[in-house]
Amino acid sequence: MFKQVFLFIALLAFAVNVAACATPTAAPTSAPVKVVETKVVEQTKVVEKVVEKVITPTPGPAAPKPGSIVINGAGASFPYPLYSRWFFEFAYVNPAIRVNYNPIGSGGGISQITAKTVEFGGSDAPMTDAEYDKAKGVQMFPIVAGPVVPVYNIKDDAGKMITATLKFPATALGDIYLGKIAKWNDPVLVSANPGVTLPAKDIKVIVRADSSGTTYTFTDYLAASNPEYKTKMGGANKLPKWLPSTLAGNQNPGVTALVQNTDGAIGYVEISFAKEGKLPYGSVQNKAGEYIIATREGVQAAMADFGNDLGDKLVASIVNGPSKTTYPISTYTYLMIYMDQTDCVKGKAMFEFFKWAMSPDGDKFAASLDYVPLPDAVQKLVEAKLSKVTCQGKPF
Amino acid sequence: MAVATSQFTLKEIKHRLRHGDTIFDALTLIAGSLALLTVLAIGWQLWQESHLTRQAFGWELIFSADWDPYGDKFGALPFIYGTLQTSLLALVIALPLGLGISIFLAELATPWLSRTLGFLVELLAAVPSVIYGLWGVYVFAPTIVKPIGETLNSIAGFIPLFAGSVSPQYSRLAASLILAVMILPTISAVSRDVFQAIPRAQREAALALGATHWEMIWQVLIPYGLSGILGAVILGLGRALGETMAVTMVIGNNYNLTASILEPGSTMSAIIASQFGEASSIDLFRSALIEIGLILFFITLVLNLFARLLVWRVARRVPSEMRV
């Protein structure tokens, strides 16, 4: 008797499940179709308006459906705020093209473009020779540049947070990350910061737990500015073997959170995270001996220092440049695509997007988000290279 | 009976199908074997995908403490140690607390209080781990873990387990305490159900023999429900071993092997989560992380088997004792 009741209930549950699964799929199929149709109508109207205003190439055969061409990208998280803004704005310029970008990190971007699971990859660090070997025909394009800043959280002896812009002499950051400067009142820091009373606290060094383009840029600078760092720790590295006593957070937000909640902490993040996290960030002494705080001009000077030296790979390290106004911890961020595209429709769409992003229209969003557009000389190099992209061996 | 099976006729099949027994049996068989197949498939896949590091390093990966992926050094000992240390410490903290909660809910609290509190405890289990992580980073670690860590260090700093004061707030201790909070609802909810399932007669018998409340709980209820409580511990330990997000947010992600619970460290799941994104571009690195996954899989399996064995032994022993 009991067994039968149980069986009945089980069957009933199964039936209800089936029914539950069936209804939601059945219901939407009739309803949303209308919604989609109305959207199409609305959006094509928008397109027509935009087409009249913006100078766009050939209207093309019977405007394709919105979002019908999907381009997928993945990689560096450093430029993600800018990229997502670009995709959003570009949807108004050409609604047919939808761009997705998954900010999984620079190394992930390189591996995904190598495996061709995405149409383009993003990276802050240049590809290594071994990576080029695996991904024949991939070209890196610098897109924008930006600064990495040293952030700190120090409470003075009265318990108040020091908000002054600390000055970091040329070798100081390297020495801090080597553990040679271990206290905030180290003579090197005290003499560089005459107006600030630094407490006798241990410096808590905070780094990235994940392998990262930001770490690559930061260690690139440390190695360039501090010879002892270079001999002990090597050059630029996405995931170096740090001192035993470091704390590490995941991605820029993780580092920001650890610095915010650790008295005596120093860390390094992309500048927008320092601003959002309301953390003070220091000025850094450049090669010419000047203390420079991260600004657009500082990064522009850094690009100008190395601008004519991009080579065929179009990559360059722009840390520790020689000019007086150069901010020394700067980096390009790159997009990676295959020079010969296999899918002509997607290739052409991507080409169109890149051209728009590099144009003054795209630059304007970069500037509003603390990224620095490329100088003209570099822009020309990128455009020249971009025009050589082909589809199945033929130019677009 | 024998006649029925021999007359396996069309009529018989129809009869069976109408009642749905055969279909039902088949469906449950499929469901059951799917679970088994999934476990086997995961194990096989982890084994296959980690062959690069298994060939290159062998046992060294487990016993080496040197982690430097871009220098081709893969020593997982700090992570294995971190996982075991934080999980066991969390269990040591959460088990007495969880038992206390469950005894209060099942035996001492008035029904309405028991229902309300029980609901709240179960709610704790439903909080996503990333929320625990956020709360841990901004509130729990700086305000609660830090003073505890500093006190431990000043009292017992000479013991290696409590030495070091790099960052008492982001440390293995912080991870253990967060894990304790996270597994507390699992342990208390399951053992409360265990206590509630114990027949009234057991309690009445104990009380009738002149036992106090304490004696009844300690000498009758806990031994009677021991296998169930062990089950709760297994569930809690399973969650602690596999927990990733909350742990990686408070543990400090330091890849050095230190004994102290007051030092920052890392766990197996934390290292996989934070470095997998980039590891995918380097075969050896990816293989190393997958092998760490395999080790974690194996440790979980062994601990589960061990606990099952314990439950089985206890379950066999207890009823006979209770009958005396």
Side-chain angles (χ1 to χ4, degrees):
Chain A
M1 183 63 198
F2 178 76
K3 208 176 171 185
Q4 280 177 344
V5 172
F6 172 70
L7 214 105
F8 176 72
I9 291 172
L11 280 174
L12 198 74
F14 179 71
V16 169
N17 253 327
V18 170
C21 287
T23 39
T25 44
T29 39
S30 55
V33 169
K34 281 179 194 165
V35 181
V36 170
E37 279 172 359
T38 49
K39 258 192 188 163
V40 171
V41 176
E42 278 168 18
Q43 286 200 4
T44 38
K45 274 181 196 163
V46 176
V47 184
E48 282 161 10
K49 274 184 202 161
V50 175
V51 166
E52 282 165 13
K53 278 184 194 167
V54 184
I55 6 91
T56 41
T58 51
K65 268 174 81 178
S68 58
I69 305 169
V70 179
I71 303 169
N72 290 306
S77 56
F78 177 90
Y80 181 59
L82 172 63
Y83 289 177
S84 51
R85 183 70 192 271
W86 270 349
F87 305 149
F88 179 79
E89 298 291 342
F90 188 65
Y92 291 104
V93 178
N94 189 342
I97 301 168
R98 205 178 79 210
V99 194
N100 298 319
Y101 185 80
N102 191 0
I104 53 171
S106 297
I110 292 172
S111 72
Q112 293 227 356
I113 190 73
T114 304
K116 298 187 181 178
T117 49
V118 290
E119 275 82 48
F120 69 94
S123 175
D124 305 327
M127 286 166 71
T128 61
D129 290 341
E131 283 163 347
Y132 273 118
D133 281 345
K134 278 195 197 167
K136 291 254 185 323
V138 162
Q139 173 68 45
M140 298 190 91
F141 293 95
I143 294 295
V144 286
V148 173
V149 295
V151 287
Y152 44 86
N153 173 6
I154 318 158
K155 292 200 176 71
D156 60 19
D157 294 328
K160 273 187 76 179
M161 194 170 159
I162 294 176
T163 51
T165 300
L166 289 186
K167 289 177 175 167
F168 291 98
T171 55
L173 284 173
D175 285 345
I176 289 173
Y177 275 81
L178 278 174
K180 275 178 70 190
I181 295 179
K183 294 230 181 248
W184 279 110
N185 66 346
D186 189 280
V188 175
L189 295 176
V190 170
S191 63
N193 295 283
V196 190
T197 324
L198 288 163
K201 280 181 178 159
D202 288 340
I203 300 180
K204 307 268 169 78
V205 174
I206 297 186
V207 298
R208 283 280 288 267
D210 49 328
S211 151
S212 117
T214 310
T215 303
Y216 184 90
T217 306
F218 190 67
T219 51
D220 196 11
Y221 162 74
L222 294 183
S225 64
N226 188 320
E228 192 180 345
Y229 179 92
K230 193 171 170 64
T231 40
K232 281 189 178 160
M233 304 279 288
N237 193 333
K238 283 183 277 190
L239 188 64
K241 195 170 162 51
W242 293 110
L243 283 181
S245 58
T246 50
L247 283 177
N250 282 305
Q251 308 211 311
N252 277 306
V255 171
T256 313
L258 289 186
V259 174
Q260 280 171 333
N261 291 291
T262 307
D263 186 15
I266 187 168
Y268 55 90
V269 291
E270 198 260 319
I271 189 165
S272 63
F273 291 93
K275 288 184 175 174
E276 279 167 23
K278 300 201 167 46
L279 284 170
Y281 53 93
S283 65
V284 184
Q285 192 179 29
N286 65 16
K287 211 174 182 177
E290 302 289 326
Y291 285 99
I292 303 289
I293 194 158
T295 56
R296 184 162 307 125
E297 291 73 31
V299 178
Q300 271 164 353
M303 286 191 285
D305 283 345
F306 300 94
N308 305 319
D309 197 21
L310 286 177
D312 194 44
K313 286 177 176 171
L314 288 186
V315 294
S317 156
I318 54 170
V319 297
N320 217 25
S323 303
K324 274 193 149 186
T325 50
T326 293
Y327 179 73
I329 323 177
S330 307
T331 182
Y332 284 119
T333 186
Y334 305 91
L335 284 178
M336 297 165 287
I337 59 170
Y338 283 94
M339 283 304 278
D340 187 42
Q341 296 284 315
T342 45
D343 184 329
C344 290
V345 179
K346 284 187 176 182
K348 192 167 190 301
M350 205 150 61
F351 185 68
E352 210 178 300
F353 168 69
F354 286 166
K355 262 180 81 173
W356 174 83
M358 306 297 293
S359 73
D361 284 337
D363 283 350
K364 142 177 119 208
F365 301 112
S368 72
L369 286 165
D370 289 317
Y371 297 92
V372 186
L374 304 177
D376 291 343
V378 178
Q379 175 113 9
K380 285 213 175 71
L381 289 174
V382 170
E383 278 169 3
K385 195 70 154 189
L386 207 52
S387 67
K388 285 182 191 150
V389 176
T390 55
C391 174
Q392 295 171 358
K394 281 170 269 174
F396 285 119
Chain B
M1 209 50 193
V3 181
T5 42
S6 68
Q7 286 177 343
F8 204 70
T9 57
L10 197 66
K11 197 181 164 195
E12 170 77 357
I13 292 169
K14 267 186 180 170
H15 177 77
R16 282 190 169 212
L17 280 179
R18 196 165 53 234
H19 281 272
D21 263 8
T22 320
I23 298 171
F24 184 71
D25 287 357
L27 280 176
T28 48
L29 181 70
I30 290 169
S33 43
L34 261 181
L36 184 70
L37 277 178
T38 313
V39 171
L40 287 178
I42 291 173
W44 175 247
Q45 192 74 16
L46 290 174
W47 177 260
Q48 281 286 306
E49 294 279 318
S50 63
H51 74 276
L52 271 181
T53 36
R54 278 190 290 108
Q55 276 165 7
F57 302 108
W59 292 103
E60 198 194 319
L61 190 126
I62 298 177
F63 296 114
S64 160
D66 196 1
W67 183 260
D68 182 11
Y70 287 93
D72 280 348
K73 288 186 185 121
F74 301 99
L77 190 60
F79 316 123
I80 299 172
Y81 178 74
T83 296
L84 292 177
Q85 191 188 42
T86 51
S87 304
L88 293 178
L89 186 57
L91 201 61
V92 167
I93 298 166
L95 183 59
L97 270 175
L99 267 187
I101 292 174
S102 59
I103 289 170
F104 177 74
L105 291 179
E107 303 299 322
L108 305 173
T110 51
W112 68 268
L113 189 61
S114 168
R115 266 199 300 275
T116 323
L117 280 181
F119 174 73
L120 288 177
V121 167
E122 278 164 17
L123 203 67
L124 271 184
V127 176
S129 62
V130 66
I131 306 291
Y132 278 111
L134 274 181
W135 172 70
V137 168
Y138 287 106
V139 184
F140 189 63
T143 59
I144 296 172
V145 181
K146 197 177 179 207
I148 295 177
E150 280 165 353
T151 317
L152 276 176
N153 181 248
S154 63
I155 295 172
F158 58 91
I159 305 171
L161 202 59
F162 304 110
S165 55
V166 177
S167 72
Q169 76 262 46
Y170 298 116
S171 57
R172 297 201 188 94
L173 177 68
S176 308
L177 289 174
I178 277 269
L179 283 176
V181 175
M182 293 175 76
I183 65 178
L184 193 61
T186 315
I187 293 181
S188 49
V190 174
S191 29
R192 180 200 56 186
D193 293 347
V194 168
F195 285 126
Q196 281 173 346
I198 296 175
R200 261 184 88 88
Q202 293 290 336
R203 295 183 182 82
E204 283 165 359
L207 292 174
L209 286 172
T212 61
H213 229 125
W214 160 255
E215 285 166 341
M216 174 196 80
I217 291 166
W218 194 245
Q219 292 174 7
V220 176
L221 295 191
I222 290 186
Y224 193 95
L226 200 57
S227 65
I229 294 167
L230 275 172
V233 168
I234 299 170
L235 283 177
L237 190 62
R239 181 161 195 200
L241 285 171
E243 180 48 48
T244 308
M245 209 54 221
V247 169
T248 191
M249 285 167 88
V250 298
I251 201 170
N253 300 298
N254 184 299
Y255 307 139
N256 287 283
L257 184 64
T258 44
S260 173
I261 57 168
L262 301 179
E263 295 277 4
S266 188
T267 66
M268 289 188 266
S269 49
I271 186 89
I272 295 172
S274 61
Q275 301 197 340
F276 198 76
E278 303 268 330
S280 44
S281 61
I282 306 162
D283 293 339
L284 206 59
F285 192 1
R286 188 184 58 228
S287 168
L289 287 186
I290 292 174
E291 189 171 343
I292 291 176
L294 182 70
I295 297 167
L296 181 59
F297 188 73
F298 186 73
I299 288 178
T300 318
L301 199 73
V302 167
L303 280 176
N304 259 312
L305 284 178
F306 176 73
R308 286 280 153 215
L309 206 72
L310 216 62
V311 168
W312 179 65
R313 284 189 59 121
V314 166
R316 234 177 28 153
R317 185 170 54 92
V318 169
S320 59
E321 267 182 14
M322 301 310 297
R323 269 183 228 119
V324 175

